[in-house]
């Protein structure tokens, strides 16, 4: 098991373009979380899945953001019509009951820069 | 509003000495507290946690203390090693199956050889 994997590691996009990130959790981890981290801040919760069900979304997740986990394995996070304020590190984490469901394992993140 | 506060942005400690990282919280509904360590270009890594029913949890060189009345927790690292140099995040969660975490801004620890 290679841990939580995120792709791409870096993404530079022009304002107004759509971007999609992928997260592959640790296999058999039921829960998958998306967090966002901006410079000088701690990670902020965006959304999480229990298997394929999206159970909660933060108010930070505007209508331009959508996340999916179609088969309860990998997840995608799409941002439509990107804005400069979307520039951040997007982190994915997974967990299972063994960790008390807390996001114990984070991926390396996808750094998004909107120019 | 910052519900989890790490007021000191950085800490520098001599190798072999104790590192004490502090964290304050405002939400009395928080039930579970965690510390994460983050190296540059990597995601956060879980370090140690403590439930609100305890006041101390120890794991090797790492000990977390919780003072519920003061809404304060601290992470002690003894002895500190250069490899401990990283950003440390304090995080808190409410009770129940929703394990959504609220993070502090982090503290950068530098351990001098």
């Amino acid at each position: 098991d290679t841990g939580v994997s995120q792709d791409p590691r870096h993404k530079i996009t022009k304002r107004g373009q759509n971007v999609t990130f992928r997260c592959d959790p640790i296999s058999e981890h039921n829960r998958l979380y998306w967090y966002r981290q901006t410079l000088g801040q701690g990670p902020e919760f965006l959304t999480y899945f229990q298997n394929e069900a999206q159970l909660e979304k933060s108010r930070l997740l505007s209508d331009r953001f959508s996340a999916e986990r179609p088969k309860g394995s990998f997840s995608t996070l799409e941002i439509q019509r990107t804005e400069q304020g979307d520039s951040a590190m997007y982190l994915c984490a997974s967990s299972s009951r063994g960790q008390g469901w807390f996001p114990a394992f984070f991926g390396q993140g996808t750094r998004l820069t909107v120019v | 509003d910052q519900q989890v506060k790490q007021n000191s942005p950085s800490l520098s400690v001599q190798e072999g000495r104790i590192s004490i990282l502090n964290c304050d919280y405002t939400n009395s509904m928080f039930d579970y507290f965690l510390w994460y360590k983050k190296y540059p270009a990597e995601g956060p890594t879980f370090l140690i946690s403590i439930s609100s029913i305890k006041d101390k949890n120890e794991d090797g060189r790492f000990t977390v203390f919780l003072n519920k009345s003061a809404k304060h927790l601290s992470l002690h690292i003894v002895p500190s090693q250069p490899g401990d140099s990283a950003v440390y995040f304090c995080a808190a969660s409410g009770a129940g199956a929703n394990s959504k975490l609220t993070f502090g801004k982090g503290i950068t620890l530098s351990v001098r050889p």
Side-chain angles (χ1 to χ4, degrees):
Chain A
D1 197 334
T2 57
V4 179
S5 176
Q6 293 188 245
D7 183 71
R9 293 287 306 278
H10 304 274
K11 178 70 176 179
I12 299 175
T13 190
K14 291 183 177 179
R15 188 175 53 187
Q17 297 294 306
N18 299 343
V19 294
T20 300
F21 311 141
R22 176 180 171 124
C23 171
D24 288 272
I26 293 173
S27 57
E28 299 179 356
H29 273 191
N30 306 97
R31 286 211 176 170
L32 186 148
Y33 299 83
W34 285 99
Y35 281 78
R36 180 174 71 184
Q37 185 178 14
T38 53
L39 196 63
Q41 303 294 319
E44 295 175 293
F45 170 79
L46 292 180
T47 187
Y48 85 96
F49 293 83
Q50 177 80 18
N51 298 314
E52 65 276 8
Q54 188 174 18
L55 297 187
E56 186 171 345
K57 295 195 299 185
S58 164
R59 55 187 167 82
L60 293 175
L61 220 62
S62 74
D63 292 343
R64 297 184 296 105
F65 288 71
S66 61
E68 294 182 343
R69 195 182 182 196
K71 297 183 179 180
S73 57
F74 74 91
S75 176
T76 58
L77 177 67
E78 181 184 14
I79 309 174
Q80 295 181 328
R81 304 181 304 281
T82 52
E83 302 172 355
Q84 287 188 320
D86 298 331
S87 296
M89 176 74 83
Y90 289 84
L91 294 163
C92 175
S94 68
S95 68
S96 66
R97 183 181 294 276
Q99 291 87 42
W101 296 118
F102 291 103
F105 304 97
F106 280 84
Q108 292 177 300
T110 294
R111 181 168 295 283
L112 172 66
T113 302
V114 181
V115 297
Chain B
D1 61 330
Q2 278 274 317
Q3 296 188 66
V4 177
K5 301 177 182 179
Q6 295 177 264
N7 293 320
S8 301
S10 62
L11 176 67
S12 182
V13 173
Q14 190 75 36
E15 180 179 5
R17 307 293 290 269
I18 184 171
S19 294
I20 300 177
L21 288 73
N22 294 308
C23 177
D24 297 292
Y25 62 96
T26 58
N27 189 340
S28 58
M29 299 302 291
F30 285 145
D31 194 54
Y32 207 77
F33 303 89
L34 303 89
W35 284 93
Y36 288 82
K37 179 169 71 173
K38 184 181 182 304
Y39 292 118
E42 294 185 11
T45 303
F46 169 74
L47 196 56
I48 192 169
S49 63
I50 189 167
S51 165
S52 62
I53 62 173
K54 295 185 175 182
D55 55 17
K56 177 183 175 181
N57 188 26
E58 189 173 355
D59 183 2
R61 297 186 297 114
F62 302 91
T63 303
V64 56
F65 295 92
L66 175 62
N67 182 333
K68 283 187 66 178
S69 60
K71 294 190 177 65
H72 177 82
L73 64 154
S74 60
L75 174 67
H76 292 211
I77 306 174
V78 182
S80 301
Q81 300 174 354
D84 295 329
S85 297
V87 178
Y88 289 79
F89 292 101
C90 172
S93 174
N98 177 357
S99 305
K100 178 178 65 177
L101 295 176
T102 300
F103 283 84
K105 291 185 177 182
I107 301 172
T108 300
L109 174 66
S110 299
V111 180
R112 308 184 303 273

